[in-house]
Amino acid sequence: MTQLPAAQGQPAQSALKPSDSSKALYGGKSTRRITVRDITAAKERGEKWPMLTAYDAMTASVFDEAGIPVMLVGDSAGNCHLGYETTVPVTLDEMTMLSAAVVRGTQRALIVADLPFGSYQEGPVQALRSATRLVKEAGVGAVKLEGGERSHRQIELLVESGIPVMAHIGLTPQSVNAMGYRVQGRGEEAAAQLLRDAKAVQDAGAFAVVLELVPAELAAEVTRTLHIPTVGIGAGPDTDAQVLVWTDMLGLTGGRVPKFVKKYADLRQVMGDAAKAFAEDVVGGTFPLEEHSVH
């Protein structure tokens, strides 16, 4: 029988082992919620997988229907949706509200929520209190927090308490006032520290770790060293997974975007054109017409 070509933007089925295809995170057949155990199994299979941010139910539902297996309710909502200049002002109340909306808009994806700045830095007990809110009130399946060795104790207590943790090292945006926005891990000493951070979060029990703005060669070394999945953003092609902020990925973000972003659409142009067309119809008296009116 002739094999049909894969749809544009989707991997060919031959890229997956036949025994693994039904278990795949992207394109798999299961309709239940994806769990951290599925993430671990994907690493064992050598399967790469995508992650996108989401901040509302409608957008999350679109990504869920598209098969995105993991969604991050990132504190990047501060920049993308709440009008803040950085992620620092985002509150736990805001993260809880946004996370609950994303959970309600999805059925299959694992939903991971960021612990915002100031909600876990005091120590493990504060981290547990904050993470518990996101799990109980929002219904997320896991939380994410920044920091390597410095966050070891927080991760350990959360995992011991039954809350899965995704770690985040390299460029940590909540520390922008201290480190700025620049590549992390350049130079022998910095690379050694990043490797120590990666091993620390793995030892603490994190089920995965985000590597942000890290040299590709170093990210590849971390990925080979760890038995937990690595999620890259500006970290080259050799991590186990890739994540992008959805407004960057779909071209909604205005101005410059980071070099590592690939735009898959230009929603800013589409939305702007639609808004202008609507406005011109209203001003010109061509909307609403009879078919748009209720009698």
Side-chain angles (χ1 to χ4, degrees):
M1 182 171 63
T2 303
Q3 185 177 12
L4 295 175
Q8 185 176 3
Q10 294 186 0
Q13 287 299 312
S14 59
L16 297 171
K17 296 178 182 179
S19 60
D20 293 342
S21 60
S22 64
K23 300 177 182 179
L25 294 183
Y26 174 72
K29 298 178 181 179
S30 174
T31 56
R32 62 170 174 78
R33 282 279 181 189
I34 290 170
T35 68
V36 296
R37 293 182 65 183
D38 297 315
I39 302 301
T40 300
K43 172 84 171 184
E44 295 170 354
R45 292 194 300 270
E47 177 193 350
K48 289 182 177 287
W49 46 274
M51 180 167 80
L52 286 172
T53 63
Y55 316 108
D56 66 88
M58 185 174 293
T59 305
S61 70
V62 173
F63 296 159
D64 203 46
E65 290 170 7
I68 300 299
V70 185
M71 288 182 223
L72 171 65
V73 188
D75 56 5
S76 50
N79 313 76
C80 300
H81 289 277
L82 302 179
Y84 301 136
E85 290 187 6
T86 70
T87 64
V88 173
V90 177
T91 67
L92 184 59
D93 285 341
E94 289 168 335
M95 287 305 305
T96 302
M97 177 191 68
L98 297 172
S99 299
V102 171
V103 170
R104 288 192 295 268
T106 56
Q107 296 182 343
R108 181 175 182 265
L110 170 65
I111 309 303
V112 183
D114 264 335
L115 287 176
F117 180 74
S119 69
Y120 63 94
Q121 281 85 355
E122 290 180 16
V125 173
Q126 184 199 28
L128 178 58
R129 187 181 302 115
S130 300
T132 298
R133 278 198 64 189
L134 290 169
V135 172
K136 291 189 68 171
E137 297 179 29
V140 303
V143 301
K144 181 171 76 64
L145 56 79
E146 295 181 1
E149 290 182 323
R150 62 183 169 87
S151 297
H152 179 276
R153 293 185 302 115
Q154 284 93 326
I155 296 171
E156 200 167 49
L157 180 59
L158 294 186
V159 173
E160 288 175 355
S161 301
I163 300 176
V165 177
M166 178 179 285
H168 184 154
I169 62 175
L171 173 66
T172 48
Q174 292 175 9
S175 302
V176 61
N177 292 327
M179 66 169 56
Y181 289 105
R182 57 188 179 86
V183 176
Q184 302 296 307
R186 280 181 174 159
E188 186 175 337
E189 183 177 342
Q193 180 60 57
L194 191 128
L195 279 166
R196 287 195 296 271
D197 284 336
K199 292 175 182 178
V201 298
Q202 176 176 268
D203 292 345
F207 74 90
V209 57
V210 173
L211 306 177
E212 181 168 359
L213 215 56
V214 172
E217 298 81 2
L218 179 57
E221 182 180 355
V222 172
T223 301
R224 290 191 299 268
T225 301
L226 299 185
H227 62 73
I228 62 173
T230 57
V231 183
I233 178 166
D238 294 320
T239 54
D240 298 299
Q242 297 289 335
V243 61
L244 284 177
V245 172
W246 85 259
T247 52
D248 293 343
M249 186 270 292
L250 288 177
L252 190 59
T253 304
R256 295 181 61 186
V257 295
K259 176 184 177 182
F260 57 77
V261 171
K262 180 177 179 179
K263 288 171 58 175
Y264 288 82
D266 191 353
L267 286 194
R268 195 174 188 87
Q269 183 70 47
V270 171
M271 292 174 69
D273 290 346
K276 290 175 183 177
F278 164 68
E280 290 168 3
D281 280 359
V282 171
V283 172
T286 57
F287 177 83
L289 297 175
E290 179 64 23
E291 61 263 33
H292 307 121
S293 302
V294 177
H295 299 285

